[in-house]
Amino acid sequence: MKHQKVDRLVVIGLGAYLLQVDLSLHRASGHPRHVLTDYLREHSAVPGKVCDFFWRGIHLDADDRLGSAPRLLRLKLMNQFRHDPVVSASFFPMANDVLRKVARYLDDGQARIDMGASHLRLTLAYLNAELQRTLGLARASAYKHVEHFNQHDHGKFRSIDEIVGRKWPF
């Protein structure tokens, strides 16, 4: 299994972004897609821009798979003692792939967000769950309350910029 060392703030920002898009897709159900695109543009970045920034030219290989439970456990143990975490190298092409699919889904701005978003949300949640298991609870909880589209007024939500402590994406 290949590993990749990643700057701590980059990986926390990416996890927050994946969660923000997941929650926003859920909360935007029934709204025109351009409303969610506008929200993401104002509050962080649209998925296509994030992909271009982080993974210009990366394409998902059909053989890439997320890590098995023992491998994820090993990464989690390693990351307890590291400032900059180590993440499975297959995570990044898969995140790129799903964010590009979200970007294509949002391209039809007049269509409404419907059940087609469910598969995208499931994949985003799965990737985020792997990232949370890999990083460990302490780092993953840093982005647990990321702001998202149509959030309720009873919680304390933070922007990705506040979570990472500077403008994101860097």
Side-chain angles (χ1 to χ4, degrees), residues 11-108:
V11 77
I12 288 173
L14 183 59
Y17 186 74
L18 292 173
L19 184 59
Q20 181 184 57
V21 172
D22 176 17
L23 294 172
S24 294
L25 275 170
H26 172 66
R27 292 297 189 100
S29 182
H31 287 81
R33 295 178 191 176
H34 72 85
V35 173
L36 182 54
T37 302
D38 293 344
Y39 174 84
L40 291 173
R41 186 177 295 113
E42 286 178 27
H43 289 86
S44 54
V46 292
K49 296 257 188 224
V50 171
C51 291
D52 291 342
F53 184 81
F54 284 112
W55 306 295
R56 193 171 313 244
I58 290 179
H59 300 288
L60 178 65
D61 181 359
D63 295 331
D64 282 342
R65 296 289 179 261
L66 296 176
S68 65
R71 289 178 180 163
L72 289 175
L73 181 60
R74 188 174 76 214
L75 286 175
K76 183 178 180 178
L77 290 173
M78 286 172 50
N79 286 333
Q80 285 183 343
F81 306 104
R82 300 178 61 91
H83 177 72
D84 290 333
V86 176
V87 179
S88 169
S90 66
F91 175 82
F92 298 104
M94 294 186 83
N96 178 59
D97 186 57
V98 72
L99 286 176
R100 293 229 184 253
K101 287 178 182 175
V102 170
R104 284 190 297 272
Y105 180 77
L106 294 176
D107 274 347
D108 186 1

Side-chain angles (χ1 to χ4, degrees), residues 145-165:
H145 297 288
V146 68
E147 67 180 1
H148 54 279
F149 180 80
N150 206 15
Q151 65 195 17
H152 61 78
D153 295 331
H154 305 295
K156 283 193 156 192
F157 298 98
R158 299 182 314 158
S159 70
I160 298 175
D161 295 345
E162 290 174 306
I163 291 169
V164 298

Side-chain angles (χ1 to χ4, degrees), residues 25 33 105 112-122:
L25 275 170
R33 295 178 191 176
Y105 180 77
R112 298 214 173 263
I113 294 177
D114 55 12
M115 293 303 292
S118 296
H119 178 69
L120 296 172
R121 286 195 62 230
L122 183 63

